[in-house]
Amino acid sequence: MKLKDKIAIVTGAASGIGKEIATTYVREGAKVVIADLALPAAEATAAAFRAAGGEAMAVAMDVTKEDEVNAGVAAVVKAWGGVDVLVSNAGVQIVHPLEEFSLAEWKKMLAIHLDGAFLTTKACLPHMYASGRGGSVIYMGSVHSHEASLLKAPYVTAKHGLIGLAKVVAKEGGAHGVRANVICPGFVRTPLVEKQIPEQAQQLGISEDDVIKKVMLKDTVDGEFTTVQDVAEVALLFASFPSNALTGQSLVVSHGWFMQ
Ligand code: NAD
């Protein structure tokens, strides 16, 4: 087991990529916190892990609200004594041409992706520093941390921003053994992407099949979606890597859509 007794908080873990990361971490022996806006789904996920013999707890957390983030992290520290791994994963998508984005939509996107990453990191770092064990901070970026697409101005902006944040956390955390890295997946068929397919078809005036083949998977090497398991394996690598040798990096897992 690569994460035996490590305490890991995964935001947005009631669905999609975050849920699979939580599943992988539980399998590898971690105590996992399912932190999500959707509390009933988070509780059901944690209960399923416990029923299967794992250790998991659910925490209600809107990552854009400082008091909820701080209360959630405090509850974890009270229950389990610290935090070793933070996966800042919660996210949403809104697609429009830039001139049709309202300021409220722009701010909402930056709040969830960037304020959420900042607030959860700020709440967890002191515990990682104090433990003497160091820790791993993992941001859920995207190919859109490196590349742009039509209709995604705030998402691309926010996902690029996470690379900068990770580099600062890597530098500040280094002396404490805290590493920070970014996972950059290509398209994964989660609810976030299923919702986008008809929206992009409508915005671009093409069929849903063409959105998949000619937009989402056009530049992959094999026309394949990335899977939640692919992303979870990278999250396991970053969480379990034993030294500061791997920090301040982003790793693209996208069937070759973007090559660094
Ligand atoms: P998803 O919709 O399946 O899951 C997102 C989860 O985040 C949900 O459980 C939702 O309740 C939660 N959430 C949303 N807003 C929140 C908030 N303010 N506070 C706390 N929780 C909140 O989506 P997913 O595809 O699994 O996406 C997870 C992450 O992966 C996102 O950051 C997304 O940008 C990123 N990503 C997804 C893809 C993809 O193709 N699916 C590709 C690259 C990156």
Side-chain angles (χ1 to χ4, degrees):
M1 284 187 173
K2 292 183 177 159
L3 296 176
K4 185 92 187 93
D5 295 331
K6 295 286 185 196
I7 298 151
I9 298 178
V10 185
T11 70
S15 175
I17 291 171
K19 189 172 182 177
E20 187 63 26
I21 291 172
T23 304
T24 302
Y25 284 5
V26 168
R27 186 192 74 211
E28 294 293 335
K31 299 177 177 180
V32 177
V33 183
I34 315 299
D36 207 289
L37 201 56
L39 185 59
E43 280 176 337
T45 304
F49 290 144
R50 286 195 299 270
E55 286 196 75
M57 67 187 274
V59 163
M61 184 187 287
D62 178 339
V63 297
T64 69
K65 305 257 168 53
E66 187 167 20
D67 53 345
E68 290 188 24
V69 170
N70 290 344
V73 172
V76 173
V77 172
K78 186 164 178 226
W80 287 340
V83 185
D84 299 299
V85 179
L86 166 66
V87 184
S88 171
N89 163 81
V92 299
Q93 180 62 280
I94 303 175
V95 291
H96 297 304
L98 187 139
E99 66 276 18
E100 290 176 19
F101 267 102
S102 67
L103 181 58
E105 288 172 322
W106 168 268
K107 285 185 172 172
K108 177 181 173 184
M109 290 294 285
L110 297 198
I112 294 173
H113 292 272
L114 289 178
D115 297 3
F118 165 70
L119 291 172
T120 51
T121 306
K122 184 177 173 187
C124 290
L125 275 184
H127 301 290
M128 293 181 177
Y129 290 171
S131 74
R133 295 191 301 270
S136 178
V137 178
I138 301 167
Y139 298 109
M140 194 53 61
S142 163
V143 162
H144 290 111
S145 298
H146 295 281
E147 182 59 275
S149 289
L150 300 174
L151 310 178
K152 296 188 176 174
Y155 188 82
V156 170
T157 302
K159 292 300 191 189
H160 274 64
L162 290 175
I163 302 251
L165 178 62
K167 289 178 178 175
V168 175
V169 175
K171 289 211 171 191
E172 293 186 3
H176 305 274
V178 172
R179 306 173 293 282
N181 293 287
V182 185
I183 306 175
C184 299
F187 281 100
V188 184
R189 283 200 94 152
T190 64
L192 180 141
V193 161
E194 295 295 347
K195 177 171 171 285
Q196 258 180 81
I197 295 170
E199 288 174 359
Q200 288 215 34
Q202 202 250 327
Q203 300 259 7
L204 297 171
I206 58 178
S207 70
E208 293 188 16
D209 199 42
D210 278 352
V211 169
I212 293 172
K213 289 192 180 132
K214 297 184 180 165
V215 177
M216 293 183 165
L217 304 179
K218 176 171 76 71
D219 293 322
T220 61
V221 296
D222 53 10
E224 298 280 342
F225 277 99
T226 301
T227 66
V228 289
Q229 289 84 6
D230 296 326
V231 182
E233 285 304 319
V234 178
L236 177 60
L237 169 74
F238 281 142
S240 60
F241 199 83
S243 77
N244 279 349
L246 185 62
T247 195
Q249 304 303 308
S250 67
L251 202 155
V252 181
V253 52
S254 71
H255 284 256
W257 163 15
F258 181 81
M259 298 191 190
Q260 281 177 310

